[in-house]
Amino acid sequence: EQINEKGGYIYIDTPVININDTVLEISGTLPGGIIGIRQSNGEYPRIDFKYARDTQFASCIIITGSNQLLKYLIIENSLSAGIVIYGNKNSFVHIITRYNSDSGIEIYDEADSNIFEFCYSYRNCNIKKFGHFSNGFTFYGGYNTIFNYCFAWDNIDSGRI
């Protein structure tokens, strides 16, 4: 499913969104993104890929666009990485990636000038690969990437590669 190719923001004001069978691709170059609204219990919305993972569907958020914002979200239970980034000039603010089968966040060669602030990645574990490549943050490139106050812990592999 491709979202946000024409710009604009999507606000999520629900405790959890269960994704059943797809990869969410955020594309386009016009400013936009997904912003979570803090819930009454103090938690932020969760995008949960558990059902897709359990049925063996590829599942994650892929950022191919530029000038996108992801803010106040929890991304969990993906069959692959929680977030995969190919796009440029994107911002990630207060994002939590956890319980994903590969790394919490993967940044690829094409990605340039992305900013991460207050992002946390923990307890990512790929059991089928005996934990190989289950890092908090994985870099396959990603030039001019800036991390401010980001932390990774309790991943089956390392915090960062």
Side-chain angles (χ1 to χ4, degrees), residues 11-26:
Y11 292 89
I12 298 176
D13 188 9
T14 187
V16 63
I17 294 178
N18 292 304
I19 306 297
N20 294 326
D21 63 356
T22 190
V23 171
L24 297 178
E25 180 181 355
I26 301 174

Side-chain angles (χ1 to χ4, degrees), residues 6 14 16 21 24 39 43-44 47 56 62-63 71 75 79 81 90 98 109 114 120 129 131 133-135 149 152:
K6 296 183 180 180
T14 187
V16 63
D21 63 356
L24 297 178
Q39 301 300 293
E43 293 183 6
Y44 291 103
I47 298 177
Q56 300 299 307
I62 296 178
I63 311 289
K71 188 173 185 179
I75 313 301
L79 184 59
N90 299 299
R98 64 185 184 190
D109 285 337
N114 291 292
Y120 313 95
K129 294 181 183 175
F133 294 124
S134 295
N135 303 292
Y149 307 104

Side-chain angles (χ1 to χ4, degrees), residues 17-20 47-56 59 76-79:
I17 294 178
N18 292 304
I19 306 297
N20 294 326
I47 298 177
D48 192 341
F49 288 97
K50 181 183 183 305
Y51 297 108
R53 181 197 66 202
D54 291 348
T55 56
Q56 300 299 307
S59 58
E76 62 186 13
N77 296 315
S78 173
L79 184 59

Side-chain angles (χ1 to χ4, degrees), residues 94-107:
H94 207 290
I95 298 295
I96 296 171
T97 55
R98 64 185 184 190
Y99 317 136
N100 298 294
S101 292
D102 281 335
S103 297
I105 297 174
E106 292 182 354
I107 304 165

